[in-house]
Structures are given as C-alpha cells and as structure tokens.
Amino acid sequence: MDSSDGAGVTALLNRSRHDEQAREQVFQMVYGDLRRLARRQLQGGKRDQTLSATALINEAYLKLMERSGNRWNDRQHFLRVAAKAMRQVTIDLARQKTRLKRGGPTPDLPLDEQRLATDRKPEMIL
C-alpha cells in the first residue's frame, strides 16, 4: 500500500457516512486486507467451523454499516474496527451454537416462576 492509496481510502471513508458509492469503493479497496483478517480470525477456530472467510467479511461489513454515524480516521483505523467486528461475529455464532446445543432459547419467566420451575424434585426410577 502506498501513501496515495491510504489517502484515497481516508477520503472515501470521510464520504462514506453519506455516500453509498463511497462505501462500496472503500470495501473494494480494502477487500484484500479484510480477507487476510478473516482468514487469520478463522484459523484459530474449531475444525467444524461453518463460516467461510467471505461470509465473515460480509457479516462484519453489515455490522459496520448498520451503525450510522461511524467515523474512521484512516485505513488502519477502519481495518482495526473491521477486525473487531469479525471477532464479534465469530463470538456471536459460537454463542448461538452453544445455546442451541444446550436446548435452545428458554422462555422469559418472572423470577418467582423460574424458581418454581426449578424446584421440582427429581423422579426416582425403579
């Protein structure tokens, strides 16, 4: 990356808050860097990982763009925030898998009803 490329990304980042085309150009300009970040993020994961690098990039990009008013100082700042978003996506996916493994979502109950539901005595098997 030369300094003119970094300056171009910085200018596009400044415009990207209000300009959809600028967002797409930023994404295209830093896609290679995002791909390296995604691969690195997925390297340490489990072997049964179902998330591809491309899917991780897309999910992180959506996470970044859903927040209006984002301000990134430069290319490096954007990439650091993108890496954090990728980490959040992988953590959210792992939590979702664990929750489903443990019986899925539980209904929201008032505290006194929750206590009653867990105070059952175990049945004896003869």
Side-chain angles (χ1 to χ4, degrees), residues 2-39:
D2 62 6
S3 61
S4 63
D5 185 32
V9 171
T10 301
L12 285 171
L13 285 169
N14 290 333
R15 287 189 6 223
S16 70
R17 291 188 315 132
H18 308 291
D19 184 358
E20 181 68 31
Q21 255 185 332
R23 277 186 228 144
E24 291 175 18
Q25 288 176 327
V26 167
F27 186 68
Q28 290 172 0
M29 291 178 83
V30 299
Y31 188 79
D33 293 326
L34 292 172
R35 191 143 184 83
R36 280 188 289 282
L37 288 170
R39 284 190 193 136

Side-chain angles (χ1 to χ4, degrees), residues 1 17 19 27 35 39 43 48 59 85 95 111 126:
M1 172 187 87
R17 291 188 315 132
D19 184 358
F27 186 68
R35 191 143 184 83
R39 284 190 193 136
Q43 265 181 345
D48 64 343
E59 289 294 324
R95 285 180 179 156
L111 188 57
L126 299 173

Side-chain angles (χ1 to χ4, degrees), residues 45-102:
K46 294 182 177 181
R47 295 278 184 224
D48 64 343
Q49 181 73 272
T50 57
L51 193 63
S52 69
T54 302
L56 179 56
I57 292 168
N58 292 334
E59 289 294 324
Y61 180 77
L62 291 174
K63 193 175 196 70
L64 288 171
M65 294 304 147
E66 76 184 7
R67 298 184 198 132
S68 62
N70 276 336
R71 289 183 168 231
W72 299 289
N73 300 330
D74 55 18
R75 180 185 194 119
Q76 291 302 315
H77 184 217
F78 177 79
L79 291 174
R80 285 192 302 266
V81 173
K84 185 175 182 178
M86 287 181 198
R87 179 73 178 143
Q88 290 170 348
V89 168
T90 57
I91 289 171
D92 290 346
L93 183 63
R95 285 180 179 156
Q96 181 183 15
K97 284 182 178 182
T98 301
R99 186 181 77 238
L100 293 174
K101 182 178 173 183
R102 303 282 185 251

